[in-house]
Amino acid sequence: MSESTIKHVVVPGTFDPVTYGHLDVIARSRKMFPRVTVAVAASVNKNGNGTQFSLDERVEMVRESLRELNIEDGIDVVPFTGLLMDLCQQLGAGGVVKGLRATTDFEYELQQADLNFHLAPEVESIFVMSSPKFSYISSSVVRELAAMGGDVSFLVPPNVRIRLGRA
Ligand code: PNS
């Protein structure tokens, strides 16, 4: 068992697009750990039909959002294509932080955490409860609302709103 405390965590996701809910989890992770890497997954086969935004666009939206909220300090943003645990091992990160909204997130996250434990038992899976302010937000809700002409300004930062064509 490792004696050292965790100094570096990864916050992974597809971020298609990044929302205020994700940014809340990222900011709170940074409050707990001195170094945070936001890992944007290629997720090419997500839901069988790919992502709305390219990997480069999703990375850029996270970077721009961190700048807009002025929370860049100690936070890196990287794209990744392989296994999350391989990335954590490459970076020497001691944990992965994920946000939990409703119980519906729990089953999925438990399955992922179990699998990841088998792949890399030294990497902790750490969960934060989403802030009640953001518990109803998801990227899919944002995409649907934007596609139907709805106001998304309370869900995503300005740069994302522009990319969604809702500025
Ligand atoms: O925002 P999402 O789509 O819920 O994020 C899911 C993500 C990207 C964290 C997850 O799919 C992932 O870890 N993908 C990388 C591939 C991998 O490591 N798979 C094995 C663990 S299930």
Side-chain angles (χ1 to χ4, degrees):
M1 192 151 92
S2 165
E3 298 280 313
S4 61
T5 54
I6 297 176
K7 297 181 188 65
H8 182 188
V9 293
V10 169
V11 179
T14 304
F15 304 110
D16 186 36
V18 67
T19 68
Y20 281 134
H22 296 129
L23 291 159
D24 176 58
V25 172
I26 295 166
R28 287 162 64 201
S29 300
R30 178 63 187 85
K31 260 173 58 189
M32 294 186 278
F33 301 100
R35 187 166 164 217
V36 171
T37 296
V38 180
V40 183
S43 297
V44 274
N45 291 320
K46 186 144 192 204
N47 307 323
N49 50 17
T51 55
Q52 174 167 342
F53 293 99
S54 72
L55 184 54
D56 283 351
E57 286 174 311
R58 287 181 280 128
V59 167
E60 196 39 52
M61 281 189 280
V62 177
R63 289 196 179 129
E64 189 63 39
S65 300
L66 295 177
R67 277 196 289 273
E68 282 173 344
L69 299 184
N70 202 16
I71 53 169
E72 307 156 84
D73 185 45
I75 307 179
D76 291 318
V77 185
V78 299
F80 80 106
T81 46
L83 286 175
L84 176 61
M85 289 302 110
D86 287 347
L87 178 77
C88 290
Q89 286 174 330
Q90 278 159 28
L91 295 172
V96 166
V97 181
K98 291 191 164 185
L100 282 182
R101 289 164 303 187
T103 48
T104 40
D105 280 346
F106 181 80
E107 294 286 333
Y108 172 75
E109 293 298 347
L110 180 65
Q111 188 190 34
Q112 298 234 327
D114 285 353
L115 186 64
N116 287 335
F117 182 85
H118 285 286
L119 296 173
E122 75 281 10
V123 179
E124 278 298 332
S125 287
I126 302 159
F127 295 95
V128 298
M129 293 298 165
S130 68
S131 156
K133 268 198 300 192
F134 303 123
S135 60
Y136 60 93
I137 305 181
S138 66
S139 296
S140 53
V141 159
V142 168
R143 291 194 304 271
E144 187 171 337
L145 205 55
M148 293 180 178
D151 175 20
V152 291
S153 58
F154 60 110
L155 302 173
V156 296
N159 82 89
V160 178
R161 211 159 70 216
I162 290 167
R163 285 189 196 253
L164 284 164
R166 301 299 311 145

